[in-house]
Amino acid sequence: MLEKTRGIYLHHINYSETSIIARIYTERFGIQSYLINGVRKRKSTIKKNLFQPLFLLDLEVYYRPGRDLQRLKEARLSVPFEHIPFDIVKSSLAIFLSDVLLKCLKEEEANEELFDFLFHAVALLDLKKEGIANFHLAFLFHLSRFLGFSPQASNPHQALFFDLDTASFSASEPSHHQFMDTETTTSFKQLFQFDLGKIELLSFNNRQRANLLTQLLRYYQIHMDMTGDLKSLAVLKEVLA
């Protein structure tokens, strides 16, 4: 059945000499894999340059429930980007966040709240001019709420440590090793204060930013059972250094 949906492109692999299989998070059907025939041909009606990390798309798809591989009829830009493809920091962030989402988004069903968060967050990344070096930190923090492991904020001002296992703050050092130290916990608390629209108000130096990212990724690995390396991480760290 031919259906229309918005989608957020994440990744693709080549399939035959002219086609690709694209992994796209869709508004109506959750995460899906689409066979896109002939897209690598010069005269393809669907342009391959549409499939870049976090591009926001309007799609026409042939949807058959239960199939591992769907087919895509048409794709066009939903929100044309002005900066992400041309700004090295923003494009590196887009590649990194695509990698994270590829590991986290598993459900083949609609999640309107999650999709709306992702769609508007990506659009904001393109438009935002200040605080971009903090974008991924705030993004990961707020994304955790939609994925079901939001940090618990009870008495954070009195706590010295954030326990990654229990997703809660603690006044004393946990007995295990999965926690943020006092300095990183102090940085982490700032993320409760500002939404993505106010990332320029976050005050981190490069070392604090790097430490907080390391701990946020540990947090995701614990609660999302993320496996494998994020190949884009090294590039992102170099760009933001």
Side-chain angles (χ1 to χ4, degrees):
M1 182 179 296
L2 190 60
E3 304 279 2
K4 293 183 178 181
T5 183
R6 293 186 297 174
I8 302 170
Y9 168 81
L10 301 178
H11 175 73
H12 78 264
I13 58 172
N14 292 334
Y15 180 82
S16 77
E17 293 184 358
T18 61
S19 304
I20 65 173
I21 295 175
R23 197 75 167 154
I24 301 175
Y25 187 66
T26 69
E27 184 174 21
R28 293 187 58 192
F29 312 114
I31 192 74
Q32 296 287 321
S33 293
Y34 290 103
L35 175 61
I36 309 174
N37 289 316
V39 71
R40 299 166 65 195
K41 292 181 179 179
R42 179 177 297 180
K43 295 184 179 181
S44 172
T45 56
I46 300 176
K47 301 303 179 184
K48 188 173 182 293
N49 61 8
L50 291 175
F51 304 103
Q52 298 184 49
L54 298 188
F55 268 36
L56 305 176
L57 305 172
D58 289 327
L59 307 171
E60 285 191 59
V61 302
Y62 297 102
Y63 179 68
R64 294 188 178 182
R67 283 208 169 188
D68 293 333
L69 187 61
Q70 307 286 349
R71 289 183 177 269
L72 188 146
K73 179 179 184 291
E74 186 174 341
R76 53 190 172 273
L77 290 175
S78 180
V79 178
F81 290 150
E82 296 182 12
H83 303 289
I84 288 177
F86 315 108
D87 183 306
I88 184 62
V89 174
K90 290 186 176 184
S91 61
S92 297
L93 284 167
I95 294 170
F96 169 73
L97 294 175
S98 293
D99 282 353
V100 172
L101 291 172
L102 198 61
K103 291 180 178 294
C104 292
L105 301 178
K106 306 294 185 182
E107 297 297 325
E108 294 185 6
E109 59 184 34
N111 185 331
E112 184 176 343
E113 283 192 332
L114 173 56
F115 184 88
D116 284 347
F117 165 76
L118 294 174
F119 194 93
H120 290 103
V122 174
L124 182 63
L125 173 61
D126 187 62
L127 295 173
K128 200 71 175 170
K129 295 181 179 179
E130 298 180 1
I132 295 303
N134 299 322
F135 184 89
H136 56 310
L137 304 175
F139 179 94
L140 291 174
F141 174 81
H142 291 291
L143 175 62
S144 67
R145 175 167 66 88
F146 297 94
L147 297 178
F149 57 100
S150 179
Q152 303 303 307
S154 58
N155 300 320
H157 300 296
Q158 301 174 17
L160 297 176
F161 305 94
F162 181 73
D163 188 319
L164 300 173
D165 275 343
T166 63
S168 62
F169 288 93
S170 173
S172 58
E173 184 175 310
S175 58
H176 53 78
H177 299 293
Q178 303 288 10
F179 64 91
M180 295 183 186
D181 62 25
T182 55
E183 181 183 11
T184 308
T185 298
T186 299
S187 298
F188 183 61
K189 290 176 184 179
Q190 289 191 49
L191 297 176
F192 285 87
Q193 302 176 41
F194 306 111
D195 60 25
L196 281 170
K198 297 181 179 179
I199 52 174
E200 68 276 8
L201 300 179
L202 296 167
S203 56
F204 306 134
N205 60 37
N206 287 344
R207 179 178 55 80
Q208 291 169 330
R209 188 178 294 115
N211 289 341
L212 185 52
L213 176 58
T214 297
Q215 295 302 319
L216 281 169
L217 290 177
R218 286 178 66 190
Y219 185 54
Y220 267 70
Q221 288 166 350
I222 290 169
H223 294 277
M224 290 300 300
D225 194 26
M226 288 172 52
T227 58
D229 295 331
L230 293 166
K231 296 180 179 179
S232 58
L233 180 57
V235 175
L236 180 66
K237 286 182 176 179
E238 185 173 337
V239 168
L240 294 179

